[in-house]
Amino acid sequence: MKIKLSDSFTYKKLLRFTFPTVIMMVFISVYGVVDGFFVSNYAGKTAFAAINLIMPFVMILGGMGFMIGTGGTALVSKVMGEGDKERANKLFSMMILFTLVLGELLSFLGIALMRPISVWLGATPEMLDNCVLYGRIVVGFNAFFMLQNVFQSFFTAAERPKLGLAVTIAAGLTNMILDYLFVGVFGWKVAGAAVATGLSQLVGSIIPLIYFILPNGSRLRLTVSRLEVRPILAACANGSSELMSNISSSIVGVIYNFQLMRLIGEDGVSAFGVLMYVQFIFTAVYFGYTTGASPIISYHYGAKNPSEIKNLLKKSVVLMAVSGVVLTGAAMLMSPLLSQIFVGYDAELKKLTEHAFLVYSINFVIAGYNIFASAFFTALNNGAVSAAISVIRTLVFQVAAVLLLPLVLGNDGIWASIIVAELGTAVVSTVFIYKKRYEYKYA
């Protein structure tokens, strides 16, 4: 039986509806990690450190897609909840057009600035050419990367999460196969990994574009639409938490790399790169759940059904708590294996990475709750609160912790800083949820 946004959700129904987006996000993270695996094992740790150094800048540009996707989906789902299907399709089409235009502009900007940005980020002479080469190729596909991110959200609003999963699997298999060919067989190293990533993003954006243009049985379809400033600004403002989270994470990544180069050196940057890849996979469970659940919340907000919002909030908090315990245990148990897979060729680097894993993994207990809290307010079209939680989580507390904790705990202070940041953010998230309970009537 098909699950609709308008349904009342039990745990079973909620998990069934969000499961495809959870798997989708995990799969995206896994195939993103493939680049790191092949570069690390076939091009060496200097090349691996280079792509990790430039990745924050690449993610800032691509993060614009998360902003448009989450903010636009919340707006479109709310309009659907109000019963205006024609307006919902026009808004959806507008978001896709805006993504294409902005994506191309950012590509030109990113390519032009790649070398000076790499130098500013601290690339050594040995790393610089790889940073520029990888960054320019990947950023050249930025419009497709952004579109892929936007469609991930809209597939759920269209009540087609399984189709979104199928598209993601197609893109992921493309990346994995091409990584194997370009890096492992042809020996194209960093350039091969970048081209493989770009072509996979092309697959992940063109398939849904064709689907939504052609007649389909979903709630959404692309129609002729022109850009309107007000709804675009509203969607971007509401989705700004996802953009700020991306930008903040990238800034924090830069600060981590500065600290690691100062305290540990290139091995520290490589170890941190492995942690980031694994974090992408584990937190993808949380982001997948929120991507799946957010359109439901937005729909019921538009339909003025606060009792279902309360139901979704309670069940989501419980699910985030349970998954947090499970994921933390899994990360700790898998730390030796994951370290071996990425940096097993260097015994000293493997030992450093494994130790960092054990400390860093504790953050997964709390991270899911904070990620959901931010997404919850985005779904309610309250971008200000959502952005506040995201910025506090990914920027304010982490920057303070990564700068101050090493003074007390030494190198372990770097790995433990995210735990402190998540704990502080959990307090802030709880305060916002409590204070807004009467405004949104979920008390």
Side-chain angles (χ1 to χ4, degrees), residues 159-216:
E159 295 178 348
R160 290 292 185 272
K162 291 181 181 178
L163 181 56
L165 174 59
V167 171
T168 299
I169 290 174
L173 290 176
T174 300
N175 189 48
M176 293 175 183
I177 293 168
L178 293 181
D179 262 327
Y180 171 74
L181 287 174
F182 294 167
V183 184
V185 178
F186 299 159
W188 293 352
K189 298 183 178 179
V190 167
V195 172
T197 295
L199 291 177
S200 71
Q201 292 163 355
L202 185 65
V203 170
S205 58
I206 295 300
I207 293 176
L209 192 63
I210 293 171
Y211 172 77
F212 284 113
I213 288 174
L214 296 176
N216 63 74

Side-chain angles (χ1 to χ4, degrees), residues 84 102 105 123 127 210-211 217 225 269 290 304 361 411 421 429:
D84 193 344
L102 182 61
L105 290 174
M127 297 163 62
I210 293 171
Y211 172 77
S225 181
V269 175
T290 57
K304 295 180 172 56
S361 298
N411 293 348
S429 298

Side-chain angles (χ1 to χ4, degrees), residues 337-359:
L337 173 62
L338 293 169
S339 300
Q340 176 65 36
I341 289 172
F342 280 95
V343 291
Y345 54 80
D346 187 315
E348 188 175 339
L349 178 54
K350 178 182 178 294
K351 182 179 178 181
L352 172 66
T353 305
E354 189 174 332
H355 172 73
F357 255 121
L358 293 175
V359 179

Side-chain angles (χ1 to χ4, degrees), residues 61-78:
L61 299 182
M64 297 290 183
F66 290 110
M67 174 187 69
I68 299 168
T70 53
T73 299
L75 179 60
V76 170
S77 299
K78 177 176 176 288

Side-chain angles (χ1 to χ4, degrees), residues 188-254:
W188 293 352
K189 298 183 178 179
V190 167
V195 172
T197 295
L199 291 177
S200 71
Q201 292 163 355
L202 185 65
V203 170
S205 58
I206 295 300
I207 293 176
L209 192 63
I210 293 171
Y211 172 77
F212 284 113
I213 288 174
L214 296 176
N216 63 74
S218 77
R219 295 184 68 104
L220 293 174
R221 186 181 174 190
L222 288 171
T223 60
V224 176
S225 181
R226 60 185 178 85
L227 297 180
E228 298 175 24
V229 174
R230 184 170 293 180
I232 288 174
L233 289 178
C236 290
N238 189 38
S240 62
S241 60
E242 278 63 32
L243 174 62
M244 291 308 299
S245 179
N246 245 285
I247 293 175
S248 300
S249 296
S250 298
I251 292 171
V252 169
V254 170

Side-chain angles (χ1 to χ4, degrees), residues 177-402:
I177 293 168
L178 293 181
D179 262 327
Y180 171 74
L181 287 174
F182 294 167
V183 184
V185 178
F186 299 159
W188 293 352
K189 298 183 178 179
V190 167
V195 172
T197 295
L199 291 177
S200 71
Q201 292 163 355
L202 185 65
V203 170
S205 58
I206 295 300
I207 293 176
L209 192 63
I210 293 171
Y211 172 77
F212 284 113
I213 288 174
L214 296 176
N216 63 74
S218 77
R219 295 184 68 104
L220 293 174
R221 186 181 174 190
L222 288 171
T223 60
V224 176
S225 181
R226 60 185 178 85
L227 297 180
E228 298 175 24
V229 174
R230 184 170 293 180
I232 288 174
L233 289 178
C236 290
N238 189 38
S240 62
S241 60
E242 278 63 32
L243 174 62
M244 291 308 299
S245 179
N246 245 285
I247 293 175
S248 300
S249 296
S250 298
I251 292 171
V252 169
V254 170
I255 294 172
Y256 267 97
N257 286 334
F258 278 140
Q259 285 283 71
L260 288 164
M261 287 293 284
R262 183 177 68 85
L263 296 171
I264 303 174
E266 190 178 290
D267 278 3
V269 175
S270 295
F272 181 65
V274 177
L275 295 186
M276 288 299 95
Y277 283 128
V278 175
Q279 185 191 35
F280 291 156
I281 296 173
F282 279 66
T283 57
V285 174
Y286 304 135
F287 284 113
Y289 175 81
T290 57
T291 299
S294 291
I296 307 171
I297 297 169
S298 297
Y299 183 93
H300 286 284
Y301 175 56
K304 295 180 172 56
N305 188 5
S307 62
E308 187 59 24
I309 295 174
K310 178 181 179 180
N311 173 50
L312 291 164
L313 173 61
K314 285 185 174 180
K315 286 180 169 57
S316 296
V317 170
V318 171
L319 290 172
M320 292 299 97
V322 172
S323 60
V325 173
V326 172
L327 290 176
T328 299
M332 289 183 168
L333 289 173
M334 294 170 64
S335 61
L337 173 62
L338 293 169
S339 300
Q340 176 65 36
I341 289 172
F342 280 95
V343 291
Y345 54 80
D346 187 315
E348 188 175 339
L349 178 54
K350 178 182 178 294
K351 182 179 178 181
L352 172 66
T353 305
E354 189 174 332
H355 172 73
F357 255 121
L358 293 175
V359 179
Y360 192 89
S361 298
I362 298 171
N363 89 89
F364 295 128
V365 174
I366 321 156
Y369 172 69
N370 293 326
I371 290 169
F372 172 77
S374 176
F376 178 67
F377 286 105
T378 298
L380 295 174
N381 285 259
N382 191 330
V385 171
S386 179
I389 293 173
S390 288
V391 171
I392 287 169
R393 172 178 174 261
T394 55
L395 183 62
V396 178
F397 286 154
Q398 276 207 61
V399 168
V402 79

